[in-house]
Amino acid sequence: MALTTGFALPKFNWRRGKHAWDRHTWLYVSVLIAVVLGAVVGLVWPEIGQGFETLGKGFVALIKMMIAPIIFCTIVVGVGSIAKAATVGKIGGLALLYFMVMSTFALAIGLLVGNVIHPGAGLDMASATYDAADTEAKTTQEFILGIIPTTFFSAFTGESVLQVLFIALLVGFALQGLGERGAPIMEAVKQLQKLVFRILGMILWLAPIGAFGAIAAVVGKTGIAAIWSLGILMGAFYITCILFIVVVLGALLWTVARVNIFSLMKYLGREYLLIVGTSSSESALPRLIAKMEFVGVSKPVVGITVPTGYSFNLDGTAIYLTMASLFIATGMGQPMSIGEQIGLLVFMIIASKGAAGVTGAGLATLAGGLQAYRPDLVDGVGVIVGIDRFMCEGRALTNFTGNAVATLLIGTWTKQIDRARVRRVLGGELPFDESLLDGVDAHATSGGSQGADVQDLREAALTEMAAKEERARMRAGGA
């Protein structure tokens, strides 16, 4: 079916959607059971629990195997998205500027909270490290020169993720310089990205095994303190996300648009339930587009801001990445210096773009960031796997709320919003017509290729908006 945004959604049937939802639920429950069993084994039979550490390391090794292709594909596609959004006039430029500022702010908040509460203190994860002394740069000059690979392809076979990032940026900007001639190559990268994320999805089905091994090992070494530390990280993460939404986003929304954050969240209640059911904010993307238009924001603003925000405005993911990194560093007895934290923050800002809609991409980005700046900490990701599924909802809900707020803010700043309609809709005088979205929820649970579908939807929106602006310029020139 086609929404009122001017572009068509891919068609999905309810049977397929229900099947994908069941698979997601099964995996979620399996990870939960694996974590509980791992904790029990570690507490009751500590030595046996430590023997299962290989399972956790094996799962992390599979994730590490996918870091280079994931970083390459997401950066190349992300650069394309940035260029296309930036060409769509004032709206695109303003949206990108806002997204970069807010993502950086969210990452900084995660670092601040992590440095205050020191999650991971008291854990014994030291045995998960490996000696990376020979690969670490000892001077600034060595670090800079180390970013340049020996050959173009050696970046993908070496240990340095920064070399992959460097090559990806070069390829992305080169493709933009080629214009239409580079379109077939960009399409090939997008198809490769679909394959890479499908492989990642297959690997994630082993998450229960990896979680069991990692939790059993760390609890076997540390005892009940491990469970307590993991609980502190989860609690601190959710509290940080709540405060970010209510205090930061709420204050900004009221100051700029005079809209109450709780009224907006009530209006998006059904979408929140959908997100909790799928652990993905991308599942509600079509609904958010329709609801933001219905609330009174113009189609051009919605068509640019919402799809682009799903790649460049991931506030919840930003908070998660920084707090999880500090948790691993502290738990392994090797806290990060301020310089390393800032470098990691910059890497996360770049590497987290372009992977919208892909379950597990956050875990891969976390591993990639640690591999780039502290490779001796990468194996600690195995412990995070055990609780990653329980923090998915927090990330997704924060990301979704951030994009809804951004749409209202951009609409206000560009004066393309009907304030009277906003008050009526959020006040309940003009309820949203759910019949406009018949069948769309099936798209939300389509599974597997969801990330590709989100990117296709984003590309369609940006292309349509760019075409409209070009037609408007031509009409103005003719006049």
Side-chain angles (χ1 to χ4, degrees):
M1 62 170 289
L3 291 181
T4 56
T5 50
F7 54 92
L9 284 172
K11 295 182 180 179
F12 298 94
N13 59 65
W14 282 97
R15 182 175 299 176
R16 178 188 173 197
K18 183 180 184 299
H19 179 61
W21 194 310
D22 290 342
R23 287 185 302 164
H24 169 83
T25 302
W26 185 90
L27 181 60
Y28 191 98
V29 173
S30 297
V31 172
L32 175 61
I33 294 174
V35 169
V36 173
L37 290 177
V40 171
V41 171
L43 288 173
V44 179
W45 303 287
E47 293 185 1
I48 295 178
Q50 294 177 45
F52 286 114
E53 185 175 32
T54 303
L55 296 177
K57 285 188 174 182
F59 180 78
V60 173
L62 289 172
I63 295 292
K64 288 167 62 178
M65 175 183 73
M66 302 303 298
I67 290 176
I70 287 174
I71 293 298
F72 176 79
C73 292
T74 55
I75 294 302
V76 172
V77 174
V79 168
S81 299
I82 290 177
K84 185 167 290 187
T87 61
V88 192
K90 178 180 178 181
I91 299 172
L94 184 59
L96 284 174
L97 177 62
Y98 171 80
F99 294 154
M100 298 305 284
V101 171
M102 288 305 295
S103 294
T104 304
F105 188 66
L107 284 165
I109 288 178
L111 286 179
L112 177 63
V113 174
N115 280 286
V116 170
I117 67 173
H118 299 292
L123 284 180
D124 182 6
M125 298 158 53
S127 64
T129 63
Y130 64 92
D131 186 8
D134 294 334
T135 62
E136 291 183 349
K138 298 177 176 61
T139 65
T140 302
Q141 291 86 343
E142 288 183 11
F143 175 79
I144 295 175
L145 291 176
I147 296 176
I148 305 174
T150 304
T151 68
F152 185 93
F153 294 102
S154 66
F156 300 95
T157 59
E159 294 289 328
S160 175
V161 176
L162 290 179
Q163 291 183 356
V164 179
L165 180 65
F166 177 71
I167 291 294
L169 288 172
L170 289 179
V171 171
F173 287 117
L175 287 175
Q176 289 305 315
L178 288 173
E180 289 300 320
R181 292 175 297 166
I185 303 176
M186 179 66 79
E187 182 60 29
V189 174
K190 291 179 181 178
Q191 295 302 319
L192 176 62
Q193 185 185 43
K194 293 179 181 180
L195 174 63
V196 168
F197 282 133
R198 178 57 61 89
I199 296 173
L200 177 63
M202 294 165 60
I203 292 174
L204 289 176
W205 280 99
L206 299 176
I209 298 175
F212 171 80
I215 295 297
V218 73
V219 173
K221 295 170 188 174
T222 310
I224 196 69
I227 301 175
W228 177 250
S229 294
L230 291 170
I232 289 177
L233 174 62
M234 290 177 58
F237 169 73
Y238 271 96
I239 291 174
T240 303
C241 287
I242 292 171
L243 291 177
F244 181 82
I245 291 174
V246 175
V247 178
V248 179
L249 294 181
L252 189 59
L253 183 62
W254 177 256
T255 301
V256 174
R258 284 295 186 266
V259 173
N260 186 292
I261 187 69
F262 295 109
S263 297
L264 177 62
M265 294 174 69
K266 180 180 179 182
Y267 173 63
L268 299 172
R270 291 201 177 192
E271 287 65 46
Y272 286 131
L273 291 176
L274 180 61
I275 291 169
V276 170
T278 60
S279 295
S280 171
S281 61
E282 284 75 19
S283 62
L285 171 59
R287 296 183 63 93
L288 181 61
I289 290 175
K291 281 203 163 182
M292 287 295 99
E293 287 189 1
F294 185 83
V295 83
V297 184
S298 71
K299 287 184 179 181
V301 171
V302 175
I304 295 171
T305 305
V306 175
T308 307
Y310 266 73
S311 278
F312 300 100
N313 190 38
L314 307 178
D315 300 327
T317 302
I319 294 171
Y320 162 82
L321 290 173
T322 49
M323 293 186 68
S325 299
L326 294 180
F327 171 85
I328 292 172
T330 304
M332 299 182 80
Q334 302 181 55
M336 292 184 179
S337 66
I338 296 299
E340 289 171 334
Q341 291 180 30
I342 294 175
L344 182 66
L345 183 147
V346 174
F347 178 90
M348 295 300 188
I349 290 174
I350 300 174
S352 62
K353 311 308 179 189
V358 183
T359 302
L363 198 63
T365 302
L366 172 63
L370 293 176
Q371 180 74 21
Y373 285 90
R374 288 290 300 273
D376 52 314
L377 301 179
V378 177
D379 287 339
V381 172
V383 178
I384 291 293
V385 172
I387 60 173
D388 177 77
R389 305 297 297 185
F390 309 122
M391 295 195 285
C392 282
E393 286 81 4
R395 295 199 302 262
L397 292 172
T398 306
N399 292 341
F400 179 79
T401 306
N403 285 311
V405 170
T407 306
L408 290 171
L409 294 178
I410 301 300
T412 302
W413 284 326
T414 57
K415 298 181 180 179
Q416 298 192 42
I417 187 172
D418 186 339
R419 290 178 176 273
R421 185 178 177 87
V422 171
R423 287 192 295 270
R424 290 182 62 201
V425 173
L426 297 186
E429 298 177 25
L430 187 61
F432 180 76
D433 184 4
E434 288 290 335
S435 66
L436 296 173
L437 291 167
D438 285 344
V440 169
D441 289 341
H443 172 269
T445 53
S446 57
S449 62
Q450 181 185 343
D453 297 327
V454 170
Q455 288 173 3
D456 292 342
L457 192 59
R458 181 179 65 240
E459 290 295 317
L462 293 174
T463 301
E464 177 67 17
M465 293 304 110
K468 286 183 178 180
E469 288 226 343
E470 181 63 25
R471 289 194 295 268
R473 283 194 294 268
M474 292 178 64
R475 287 194 299 267

